[in-house]
Amino acid sequence: MPRPSVYLGLGSNVGDRERILDDALPLLGARGFRVTGRSSLYATEPVGGPPQDWFLNAAVRGETDLEPDDLLKVCLATERDLGRERRVKNGPRTLDVDLLLYGDLVRQTPELTLPHPRLQDRLFVLIPLAEVAPDVRHPLLGLTAAEMRGRCSDTSSVVPHLPRRNRAR
């Protein structure tokens, strides 16, 4: 039976954001999540929570043999390993790893809701997701990532981020 495509959203607004996002991928890989695609990085205005610095965000597509609850544990362990401390709800963070879609699985438990409950409402998620997988469908809404992006009412700023290695010196 083929593995479902799984999509994660990554964000960071504390420390060396670019390095932290880069460092997250091998940690996820070592724990059973194989990255098969990655979006560009985007500088994004914070949405919700206290005043804080802008984020860098990306989306990744991958495969795993892990069940969704185990993958969530992997995401949380990766956040902790890269310095995430949960002190203020929606506050600044070194790393945020959100499980966006796990194939076409729909579920709601106290620990995990799939698809991510605010996926369709956030440009900082939809723009990178639509880049890495424009045709992936939301299992409840029936819309592709590109369609959700076009319909999203979020007006927060999301701009391409030029990685350090590509910047003119």
Side-chain angles (χ1 to χ4, degrees):
M1 184 162 136
R3 295 180 204 157
S5 289
V6 177
Y7 298 90
L8 304 178
L10 287 81
S12 175
N13 75 339
V14 172
D16 185 344
R17 303 168 305 162
E18 194 174 318
R19 182 193 55 78
I20 290 166
L21 294 177
D22 285 343
D23 288 352
L25 300 181
L27 289 175
L28 290 165
R31 293 178 165 125
F33 181 81
R34 187 173 73 84
V35 173
T36 60
R38 178 182 178 179
S39 74
S40 304
L41 295 176
Y42 293 88
T44 65
E45 182 179 5
V47 175
Q52 56 192 301
D53 291 335
W54 281 43
F55 283 83
L56 282 187
N57 285 97
V60 295
R61 177 183 58 240
E63 297 175 341
T64 187
D65 290 326
L66 298 168
E67 293 298 318
D69 290 319
D70 293 327
L71 180 57
L72 177 62
K73 290 174 187 170
V74 161
C75 294
L76 295 173
T78 301
E79 290 178 352
R80 281 191 304 274
D81 285 354
L82 290 172
R84 171 90 185 249
E85 295 178 1
R86 295 176 184 268
R87 294 184 181 173
V88 177
K89 183 174 175 66
N90 296 321
R93 44 207 173 265
T94 55
L95 180 64
D96 189 29
V97 182
D98 288 329
L99 182 46
L100 303 175
L101 295 163
Y102 190 102
D104 60 1
L105 184 63
V106 175
R107 85 188 278 190
Q108 187 167 357
T109 68
E111 296 78 30
L112 179 62
T113 299
L114 288 169
H116 191 284
R118 293 174 301 283
L119 165 66
Q120 67 278 359
D121 301 322
R122 296 178 164 176
L123 279 179
F124 69 84
V125 173
L126 289 172
I127 290 174
L129 181 61
E131 177 187 331
V132 77
D135 296 325
V136 67
R137 288 201 179 272
H138 191 290
L140 294 173
L141 301 176
L143 300 172
T144 67
E147 290 167 337
M148 287 186 287
R149 176 186 174 185
R151 295 180 183 195
C152 186
S153 61
D154 182 4
T155 59
S156 64
S157 293
V158 178
V159 296
H161 173 77
L162 187 60
R164 276 190 298 257
R165 62 187 168 273
N166 293 336
R167 290 186 195 149
R169 297 191 188 242

